[in-house]
C-alpha cells in the first residue's frame, strides 16, 4: 500500500516522477561536449603581504575549461606596485616563468597597514590596473588541539588523531574581513578552493552580530581540513586581513569549487578587481590583494592536548 501511495504522489507531479525515473535509470554513456573556446585572458594572481622577504605576482593566460595542461605564463610584461606615498616597487620575472617578484631578502617589507597599493601591468598595448588597501589584523592568541577518534575509517589520514584550532579576537569596529590559512610544517597551505576559510568580523558573514568577539568555533577549527593531525605535527595558523572585495572574490571561488550535483549552476568567471585602462580592450581575470598577517605555530604534544569533548 505504501509503495502504491508513493507512486501516486509522483504521478501527481509528473515532472518529479520523470526526474526520479531518469535518475534511477541513468546510464554511463560518455558524451563528448563540443564547447567553444573563448580568447585567452590575462590572469593575475597577486596576494601581497606585510611580511619580510620575497613578494610575488603571477601572470598567466586563461585556458579552456577542459584543458588540463599547466597555464601558459605571461612573459615580457612590465609589473609595478605603487603605494599612496608614491613609492614604486618594480616586480621582475627573473626566471622567465611568469612569476614576477620583488624583495629577495628580509631587509625590507612592502606592506604597511593603512596604506593603499596600486598594481600596474603593461602587456603589449594593454595596461591593467588594480588597487588594494592593506587592512589591520588582530593578534593570534594561541593554537590549541584536542584528541579525536572518529567512529569510521576516513578516506584520508588517521582515524585517531588531533583537531587543531586557534584563538583570536576580532578587532572592534564592524566590517573587518579575514582569510584564515592553516600552517603545516612552517608553510601556509590552501591546496583546494573548497578549503578556503574566510571570516567577516568573527563569523561567516555580515548577518551575525560578531564584531569584537572571539572567532566562532567552525572558523577556529578550519585549520584542520581534510584529516586529523598526528602527534608531533607542526601546525599553526596565518590570519590575513583582506578587503571586503577580496572577501567576496574568495567566497565566490569557494562556491564555484563546491558547485556540483543535481542543482549545480553554470560555471562562470569570478569577478576580478583588475581592469583594463581601455574599456574596449580585453578583460582580465584573477585578483590583486594586500594583507597584514598574524601568525602562530605549535607542535602537537599528546600530553598537552585538551580532553575529548564527548
Amino acid at each position: 500500500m505504501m509503495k502504491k501511495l508513493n507512486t501516486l504522489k509522483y504521478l501527481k507531479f509528473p515532472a518529479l516522477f520523470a526526474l526520479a525515473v531518469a535518475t534511477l535509470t541513468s546510464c554511463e554513456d560518455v558524451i563528448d561536449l563540443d564547447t567553444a573556446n573563448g580568447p585567452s585572458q590575462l590572469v593575475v594572481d597577486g596576494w601581497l603581504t606585510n611580511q619580510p622577504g620575497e613578494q610575488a605576482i603571477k601572470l598567466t593566460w586563461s585556458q579552456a575549461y577542459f584543458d588540463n595542461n599547466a597555464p601558459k605564463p605571461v612573459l615580457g610584461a612590465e609589473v609595478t606596485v605603487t603605494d599612496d606615498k608614491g613609492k614604486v616597487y618594480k616586480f621582475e620575472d627573473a626566471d622567465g616563468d611568469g612569476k614576477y617578484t620583488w624583495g629577495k631578502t628580509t631587509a625590507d617589507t612592502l606592506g604597511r597597514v593603512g596604506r593603499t597599493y596600486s598594481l600596474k601591468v603593461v602587456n603589449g598595448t594593454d595596461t591593467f590596473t588594480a588597487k588594494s588597501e592593506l587592512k589591520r589584523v588582530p593578534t593570534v592568541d594561541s593554537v590549541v588541539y584536542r584528541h579525536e577518534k572518529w567512529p569510521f575509517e576516513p578516506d584520508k589520514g588517521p582515524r585517531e588523531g588531533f583537531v587543531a584550532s586557534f584563538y583570536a579576537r576580532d578587532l572592534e569596529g564592524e566590517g573587518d574581513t579575514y582569510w584564515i590559512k592553516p600552517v603545516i610544517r612552517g608553510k601556509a597551505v590552501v591546496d583546494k578552493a573548497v578549503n578556503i576559510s574566510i571570516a567577516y568580523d568573527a563569523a561567516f558573514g555580515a548577518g551575525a552580530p560578531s564584531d569584537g568577539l572571539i572567532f566562532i568555533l567552525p572558523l577556529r577549527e578550519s585549520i584542520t581540513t581534510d584529516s586529523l593531525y598526528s602527534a608531533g605535527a607542526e601546525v599553526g595558523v596565518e590570519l590575513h586581513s583582506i578587503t571586503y572585495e577580496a572577501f567576496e572574490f574568495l567566497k565566490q571561488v569557494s562556491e564555484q569549487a563546491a558547485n556540483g550535483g543535481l542543482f549545480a549552476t553554470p560555471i562562470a568567471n569570478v569577478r576580478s578587481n583588475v581592469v583594463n585602462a581601455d574599456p574596449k580592450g580585453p578583460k582580465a581575470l584573477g585578483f590583486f590583494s594586500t594583507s597584514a598577517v598574524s601568525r602562530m605555530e605549535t607542535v602537537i604534544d599528546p600530553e598537552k592536548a585538551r580532553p575529548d569533548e564527548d
Side-chain angles (χ1 to χ4, degrees):
M1 180 64 178
M2 182 61 67
K3 183 176 181 181
K4 182 177 180 182
L5 287 175
N6 287 340
T7 304
L8 289 174
K9 178 180 68 173
Y10 280 113
L11 288 176
K12 186 177 179 181
F13 301 98
L16 291 178
F17 179 73
L19 178 60
V21 172
T23 302
L24 293 174
T25 61
S26 62
C27 59
E28 295 183 358
D29 291 341
V30 177
I31 301 175
D32 293 325
L33 297 177
D34 184 13
T35 57
N37 294 331
S40 292
Q41 295 173 262
L42 174 73
V43 181
V44 175
D45 184 14
W47 299 84
L48 309 183
T49 73
N50 67 340
Q51 299 300 286
E54 182 179 275
Q55 300 289 317
I57 298 172
K58 190 173 182 179
L59 303 181
T60 57
W61 293 111
S62 65
Q63 57 194 47
Y65 181 75
F66 293 107
D67 187 349
N68 293 322
N69 295 314
K72 294 181 179 179
V74 175
L75 305 177
E78 296 178 14
V79 181
T80 56
V81 172
T82 306
D83 66 20
D84 53 8
K85 301 292 185 180
K87 185 172 181 178
V88 179
Y89 304 86
K90 186 177 181 180
F91 285 66
E92 297 182 343
D93 183 10
D95 297 327
D97 58 0
K99 182 181 178 182
Y100 295 77
T101 62
W102 173 90
K104 297 294 184 181
T105 70
T106 59
D108 191 18
T109 58
L110 183 152
R112 301 286 190 277
V113 173
R115 298 272 181 90
T116 298
Y117 295 84
S118 300
L119 169 69
K120 182 178 180 181
V121 177
V122 179
N123 185 55
T125 59
D126 292 306
T127 299
F128 299 90
T129 60
K131 284 188 177 182
S132 178
E133 181 183 353
L134 201 150
K135 300 281 191 176
R136 60 184 185 168
V137 69
T139 300
V140 177
D141 296 321
S142 60
V143 175
V144 300
Y145 41 91
R146 60 178 173 83
H147 180 265
E148 179 79 32
K149 184 176 181 180
W150 288 343
F152 56 87
E153 197 67 37
D155 294 333
K156 182 179 179 182
R159 181 179 177 183
E160 187 171 359
F162 300 88
V163 174
S165 62
F166 74 96
Y167 279 86
R169 183 180 293 274
D170 169 55
L171 298 168
E172 290 189 3
E174 186 177 352
D176 291 288
T177 44
Y178 313 100
W179 186 359
I180 302 163
K181 298 183 180 183
V183 173
I184 302 174
R185 292 188 295 275
K187 183 178 180 181
V189 178
V190 183
D191 54 357
K192 294 188 293 187
V194 292
N195 288 337
I196 290 174
S197 177
I198 51 177
Y200 184 102
D201 289 330
F204 289 116
S210 60
D211 177 41
L213 302 181
I214 294 173
F215 285 85
I216 61 174
L217 180 62
L219 290 173
R220 298 200 307 268
E221 291 192 347
S222 67
I223 61 174
T224 304
T225 54
D226 296 325
S227 64
L228 298 173
Y229 292 109
S230 300
E234 301 172 23
V235 302
V237 63
E238 278 190 358
L239 190 58
H240 291 234
S241 62
I242 55 175
T243 63
Y244 182 74
E245 193 175 17
F247 174 87
E248 284 295 321
F249 175 85
L250 292 169
K251 179 181 177 181
Q252 291 176 47
V253 169
S254 179
E255 290 173 347
Q256 290 276 15
N259 183 29
L262 184 61
F263 300 104
T265 57
I267 297 295
N269 288 329
V270 178
R271 185 174 179 178
S272 172
N273 69 337
V274 183
V275 297
N276 195 323
D278 179 3
K280 296 182 180 179
K283 297 184 182 300
L285 302 173
F287 207 83
F288 170 71
S289 174
T290 54
S291 300
V293 180
S294 181
R295 179 186 178 107
M296 182 172 284
E297 299 172 73
T298 191
V299 177
I300 291 182
D301 179 355
E303 297 297 325
K304 297 180 180 179
R306 295 191 170 189
D308 295 351
E309 294 185 349
D310 50 33

